[in-house]
Amino acid sequence: MKENIVLDVKDFELLEKNWWFSQLPEIFQKFIQQYSIVQNYQREQAIFRSGDIFNGIYAVLEGRVCLGYIDIQGNESIAAIVDPIMWFGEISLVDQQARSHDAIAVEKCRILLLPDHAIRTMLSENPQFWFHIAQLTSQKLRYAFLEIISMQTQHIQQRLAQRLLFILNGYGNHIEIKKNTIHLSQEQLALMLKCSRQTINQELQLLEQQDILKISFKKIEILDMQKLHQIAAPQHS
Protein backbone atom coordinates (compact mmCIF):
# COMPACT_ATOMS: atom_id res chain seq x y z
CA MET A 1 0.00 0.00 0.00
CA LYS A 2 1.17 3.52 -0.83
CA GLU A 3 0.93 5.99 2.03
CA ASN A 4 -0.21 9.49 1.02
CA ILE A 5 1.70 12.28 2.78
CA VAL A 6 1.37 16.03 2.44
CA LEU A 7 4.23 17.86 0.69
CA ASP A 8 6.42 19.55 3.33
CA VAL A 9 8.62 22.66 3.27
CA LYS A 10 11.84 20.71 2.58
CA ASP A 11 10.23 19.02 -0.41
CA PHE A 12 9.11 22.40 -1.73
CA GLU A 13 12.63 23.79 -1.35
CA LEU A 14 13.95 20.80 -3.30
CA LEU A 15 11.46 21.43 -6.11
CA GLU A 16 12.68 25.01 -6.39
CA LYS A 17 15.97 23.60 -7.74
CA ASN A 18 14.07 22.18 -10.72
CA TRP A 19 14.31 24.41 -13.80
CA TRP A 20 10.66 24.01 -14.85
CA PHE A 21 9.24 24.50 -11.36
CA SER A 22 11.45 27.54 -10.70
CA GLN A 23 9.95 29.28 -13.77
CA LEU A 24 6.32 28.74 -12.73
CA PRO A 25 4.17 31.66 -11.55
CA GLU A 26 3.92 31.79 -7.77
CA ILE A 27 0.23 30.87 -7.86
CA PHE A 28 1.05 27.68 -9.79
CA GLN A 29 3.85 26.78 -7.37
CA LYS A 30 1.56 27.26 -4.37
CA PHE A 31 -1.11 25.15 -6.06
CA ILE A 32 1.39 22.28 -6.43
CA GLN A 33 2.45 22.68 -2.80
CA GLN A 34 -1.17 22.64 -1.61
CA TYR A 35 -2.61 19.79 -3.69
CA SER A 36 0.30 17.40 -4.20
CA ILE A 37 0.71 14.28 -2.12
CA VAL A 38 3.86 12.24 -1.45
CA GLN A 39 3.83 8.48 -1.97
CA ASN A 40 6.44 5.89 -1.01
CA TYR A 41 7.35 3.09 -3.42
CA GLN A 42 9.45 -0.01 -2.91
CA ARG A 43 12.11 -1.31 -5.31
CA GLU A 44 10.61 -2.65 -8.58
CA GLN A 45 7.13 -1.38 -7.65
CA ALA A 46 5.19 0.11 -10.56
CA ILE A 47 4.18 3.77 -10.32
CA PHE A 48 2.20 3.27 -13.52
CA ARG A 49 2.18 0.86 -16.44
CA SER A 50 1.83 1.31 -20.18
CA GLY A 51 -1.90 1.43 -20.95
CA ASP A 52 -2.92 2.80 -17.54
CA ILE A 53 -5.37 5.69 -17.41
CA PHE A 54 -3.87 9.10 -16.56
CA ASN A 55 -4.04 9.79 -12.82
CA GLY A 56 -1.74 12.81 -12.46
CA ILE A 57 1.81 14.03 -12.98
CA TYR A 58 4.78 13.02 -10.87
CA ALA A 59 8.13 14.29 -9.60
CA VAL A 60 10.90 12.26 -7.97
CA LEU A 61 11.85 13.55 -4.52
CA GLU A 62 14.08 10.65 -3.46
CA GLY A 63 15.26 7.53 -5.25
CA ARG A 64 15.20 6.71 -8.97
CA VAL A 65 12.53 5.67 -11.45
CA CYS A 66 13.00 3.77 -14.71
CA LEU A 67 10.92 4.98 -17.65
CA GLY A 68 10.72 2.30 -20.30
CA TYR A 69 8.84 -0.70 -21.59
CA ILE A 70 8.98 -4.51 -21.51
CA ASP A 71 7.35 -6.26 -24.47
CA ILE A 72 5.45 -9.53 -24.44
CA GLN A 73 8.69 -11.47 -25.11
CA GLY A 74 10.32 -9.86 -22.08
CA ASN A 75 12.61 -7.57 -24.07
CA GLU A 76 13.37 -4.44 -22.06
CA SER A 77 13.77 -0.89 -23.35
CA ILE A 78 14.88 2.02 -21.16
CA ALA A 79 14.19 5.60 -22.19
CA ALA A 80 15.60 7.20 -19.04
CA ILE A 81 16.39 6.69 -15.38
CA VAL A 82 14.62 9.53 -13.57
CA ASP A 83 16.45 11.06 -10.60
CA PRO A 84 15.37 13.79 -8.17
CA ILE A 85 13.94 16.38 -9.03
CA MET A 86 12.61 15.33 -12.41
CA TRP A 87 8.95 15.51 -13.43
CA PHE A 88 7.29 12.82 -15.51
CA GLY A 89 3.89 11.53 -16.59
CA GLU A 90 2.52 14.71 -18.18
CA ILE A 91 2.23 13.35 -21.75
CA SER A 92 -1.12 11.67 -21.04
CA LEU A 93 -2.43 14.94 -19.61
CA VAL A 94 -1.75 16.65 -22.95
CA ASP A 95 -2.93 14.01 -25.43
CA GLN A 96 -5.61 12.49 -23.13
CA GLN A 97 -4.50 8.97 -24.00
CA ALA A 98 -3.32 6.06 -21.87
CA ARG A 99 0.20 5.88 -20.46
CA SER A 100 2.72 5.29 -23.23
CA HIS A 101 5.34 3.53 -21.09
CA ASP A 102 6.07 1.99 -17.69
CA ALA A 103 7.40 3.90 -14.69
CA ILE A 104 9.06 1.50 -12.23
CA ALA A 105 10.91 2.31 -9.00
CA VAL A 106 14.58 1.30 -9.33
CA GLU A 107 14.96 1.56 -5.55
CA LYS A 108 12.97 2.89 -2.60
CA CYS A 109 11.42 6.16 -3.74
CA ARG A 110 9.51 9.16 -2.45
CA ILE A 111 7.36 10.41 -5.28
CA LEU A 112 5.26 13.56 -5.54
CA LEU A 113 1.88 13.10 -7.21
CA LEU A 114 -0.20 16.04 -8.42
CA PRO A 115 -3.54 14.23 -8.87
CA ASP A 116 -5.56 14.24 -12.07
CA HIS A 117 -8.67 15.94 -10.66
CA ALA A 118 -6.67 18.76 -9.07
CA ILE A 119 -4.56 19.63 -12.11
CA ARG A 120 -7.51 19.43 -14.51
CA THR A 121 -9.52 21.80 -12.30
CA MET A 122 -6.61 24.22 -12.09
CA LEU A 123 -6.10 24.21 -15.87
CA SER A 124 -9.82 24.66 -16.47
CA GLU A 125 -9.87 27.72 -14.23
CA ASN A 126 -6.51 29.04 -15.48
CA PRO A 127 -6.15 27.97 -19.15
CA GLN A 128 -3.09 30.21 -19.54
CA PHE A 129 -1.20 27.66 -17.41
CA TRP A 130 -1.35 25.16 -20.28
CA PHE A 131 1.72 27.02 -21.57
CA HIS A 132 3.74 25.69 -18.64
CA ILE A 133 2.51 22.13 -19.21
CA ALA A 134 3.57 22.53 -22.85
CA GLN A 135 7.02 23.64 -21.66
CA LEU A 136 7.37 20.51 -19.55
CA THR A 137 6.36 18.27 -22.45
CA SER A 138 8.50 20.05 -25.05
CA GLN A 139 11.52 19.76 -22.75
CA LYS A 140 11.33 15.97 -23.06
CA LEU A 141 10.57 16.19 -26.78
CA ARG A 142 13.72 18.25 -27.32
CA TYR A 143 15.91 15.62 -25.64
CA ALA A 144 14.17 12.83 -27.53
CA PHE A 145 14.99 14.53 -30.85
CA LEU A 146 18.59 15.12 -29.76
CA GLU A 147 18.88 11.41 -29.01
CA ILE A 148 17.40 10.42 -32.40
CA ILE A 149 19.79 12.77 -34.21
CA SER A 150 22.67 11.40 -32.16
CA MET A 151 21.80 7.80 -33.11
CA GLN A 152 21.80 8.74 -36.80
CA THR A 153 24.88 10.96 -36.96
CA GLN A 154 27.29 10.25 -34.09
CA HIS A 155 29.58 7.38 -33.20
CA ILE A 156 29.05 5.49 -29.95
CA GLN A 157 31.61 7.43 -27.89
CA GLN A 158 29.87 10.73 -28.71
CA ARG A 159 26.48 9.23 -27.94
CA LEU A 160 27.73 7.87 -24.62
CA ALA A 161 29.28 11.21 -23.63
CA GLN A 162 26.09 13.04 -24.57
CA ARG A 163 23.90 10.66 -22.60
CA LEU A 164 26.10 10.96 -19.51
CA LEU A 165 25.76 14.74 -19.69
CA PHE A 166 21.99 14.43 -20.17
CA ILE A 167 21.78 12.33 -17.02
CA LEU A 168 23.93 14.73 -14.98
CA ASN A 169 21.70 17.60 -16.09
CA GLY A 170 18.55 15.65 -15.31
CA TYR A 171 17.51 15.93 -18.96
CA GLY A 172 17.22 19.69 -18.54
CA ASN A 173 15.51 19.53 -15.15
CA HIS A 174 18.39 20.86 -13.03
CA ILE A 175 19.09 24.58 -12.91
CA GLU A 176 22.78 23.69 -12.72
CA ILE A 177 24.91 20.54 -12.55
CA LYS A 178 26.01 20.12 -8.93
CA LYS A 179 27.02 16.47 -8.91
CA ASN A 180 29.57 14.49 -10.87
CA THR A 181 28.49 10.94 -10.05
CA ILE A 182 25.98 8.82 -11.96
CA HIS A 183 24.46 5.76 -10.30
CA LEU A 184 23.76 3.49 -13.22
CA SER A 185 24.78 0.02 -14.36
CA GLN A 186 26.52 -0.61 -17.67
CA GLU A 187 23.59 -2.83 -18.65
CA GLN A 188 21.17 0.08 -18.14
CA LEU A 189 23.39 2.37 -20.21
CA ALA A 190 23.52 -0.23 -22.96
CA LEU A 191 19.73 -0.46 -23.04
CA MET A 192 19.45 3.33 -23.27
CA LEU A 193 21.95 3.53 -26.12
CA LYS A 194 20.70 0.42 -27.94
CA CYS A 195 24.05 -1.35 -28.00
CA SER A 196 25.74 -4.24 -26.20
CA ARG A 197 27.04 -4.10 -22.64
CA GLN A 198 30.46 -5.09 -23.99
CA THR A 199 30.51 -2.03 -26.25
CA ILE A 200 29.60 0.26 -23.35
CA ASN A 201 32.27 -1.32 -21.17
CA GLN A 202 34.92 -0.79 -23.86
CA GLU A 203 33.94 2.85 -24.38
CA LEU A 204 33.88 3.58 -20.66
CA GLN A 205 37.31 2.05 -20.25
CA LEU A 206 38.65 4.26 -23.06
CA LEU A 207 37.27 7.32 -21.28
CA GLU A 208 38.72 6.10 -17.99
CA GLN A 209 42.15 5.72 -19.59
CA GLN A 210 41.94 9.41 -20.57
CA ASP A 211 41.10 10.37 -16.95
CA ILE A 212 37.70 11.68 -18.05
CA LEU A 213 35.78 9.39 -15.71
CA LYS A 214 36.18 6.64 -13.15
CA ILE A 215 34.21 3.40 -13.29
CA SER A 216 32.90 1.65 -10.16
CA PHE A 217 30.17 -0.92 -9.54
CA LYS A 218 26.92 0.62 -10.84
CA LYS A 219 28.57 4.04 -10.56
CA ILE A 220 30.38 6.42 -12.92
CA GLU A 221 32.28 9.41 -11.55
CA ILE A 222 32.97 12.21 -14.02
CA LEU A 223 36.48 13.61 -13.48
CA ASP A 224 36.76 16.02 -16.40
CA MET A 225 33.47 17.65 -17.38
CA GLN A 226 35.09 19.86 -20.04
CA LYS A 227 36.59 16.93 -21.95
CA LEU A 228 33.29 15.07 -21.76
CA HIS A 229 31.55 18.10 -23.30
CA GLN A 230 34.19 18.20 -26.07
CA ILE A 231 33.56 14.56 -26.96
CA ALA A 232 29.78 15.00 -26.90
CA ALA A 233 29.85 18.12 -29.10
CA PRO A 234 28.65 17.50 -32.69
CA GLN A 235 31.46 17.30 -35.22
CA HIS A 236 30.92 19.60 -38.19
CA SER A 237 32.78 19.17 -41.44
Side-chain angles (χ1 to χ4, degrees):
M1 293 292 292
K2 299 185 293 292
E3 181 183 3
N4 294 336
I5 305 168
V6 178
L7 194 68
D8 62 26
V9 175
K10 288 184 179 179
D11 292 328
F12 190 77
E13 290 174 350
L14 179 64
L15 288 174
E16 288 179 323
K17 298 176 183 178
N18 173 274
W19 179 87
W20 176 74
F21 185 86
S22 70
Q23 305 296 312
L24 293 177
E26 185 178 358
I27 186 175
F28 200 162
Q29 291 184 346
K30 288 184 176 179
F31 172 84
I32 291 174
Q33 184 179 26
Q34 181 177 357
Y35 289 97
S36 292
I37 55 178
V38 177
Q39 297 179 335
N40 293 307
Y41 289 84
Q42 300 300 312
R43 182 175 180 269
E44 297 185 358
Q45 187 176 0
I47 298 164
F48 57 75
R49 294 278 188 183
S50 173
D52 285 354
I53 296 172
F54 176 76
N55 66 330
I57 63 175
Y58 295 86
V60 181
L61 300 174
E62 295 177 14
R64 294 179 297 147
V65 175
C66 177
L67 303 182
Y69 185 74
I70 300 177
D71 67 19
I72 195 168
Q73 283 81 34
N75 299 313
E76 185 178 8
S77 175
I78 297 178
I81 303 291
V82 180
D83 293 314
I85 35 185
M86 289 178 62
W87 290 83
F88 64 98
E90 77 287 344
I91 294 174
S92 292
L93 171 63
V94 177
D95 65 15
Q96 298 185 36
Q97 295 186 40
R99 300 291 189 186
S100 60
H101 54 273
D102 302 330
I104 310 295
V106 176
E107 58 196 26
K108 283 187 176 182
C109 294
R110 292 181 68 247
I111 306 292
L112 173 154
L113 169 63
L114 182 56
D116 175 25
H117 62 86
I119 194 167
R120 288 190 187 278
T121 299
M122 185 271 291
L123 291 171
S124 176
E125 295 174 353
N126 303 274
Q128 71 275 17
F129 289 165
W130 272 108
F131 167 76
H132 301 289
I133 301 299
Q135 275 190 316
L136 186 60
T137 305
S138 61
Q139 181 185 56
K140 291 187 177 65
L141 184 61
R142 178 179 294 274
Y143 279 87
F145 271 116
L146 287 172
E147 180 62 23
I148 292 171
I149 292 168
S150 175
M151 290 177 65
Q152 295 175 345
T153 63
Q154 296 182 341
H155 54 72
I156 186 61
Q157 190 174 87
Q158 285 180 288
R159 292 177 55 211
L160 174 59
Q162 177 177 271
R163 179 56 74 117
L164 293 175
L165 289 170
F166 283 177
I167 294 169
L168 285 173
N169 190 41
Y171 298 89
N173 278 264
H174 300 156
I175 293 176
E176 58 180 319
I177 297 177
K178 290 188 174 182
K179 65 176 185 176
N180 67 339
T181 301
I182 296 171
H183 295 276
L184 201 65
S185 71
Q186 294 184 22
E187 182 66 30
Q188 289 169 329
L189 262 180
L191 287 169
M192 289 181 188
L193 295 171
K194 301 295 185 291
C195 64
S196 69
R197 183 191 176 282
Q198 289 76 14
T199 297
I200 289 296
N201 180 261
Q202 290 171 4
E203 294 299 331
L204 287 173
Q205 286 189 25
L206 287 173
L207 293 173
E208 187 172 49
Q209 290 167 13
Q210 300 173 64
D211 295 323
I212 294 173
L213 54 77
K214 181 180 179 182
I215 309 168
S216 303
F217 179 67
K218 292 188 177 181
K219 185 170 72 172
I220 300 169
E221 182 184 359
I222 308 302
L223 305 176
D224 194 325
M225 198 76 71
Q226 183 177 356
K227 285 185 180 179
L228 194 65
H229 273 285
Q230 289 173 353
I231 293 172
Q235 301 296 314
H236 300 290
S237 56

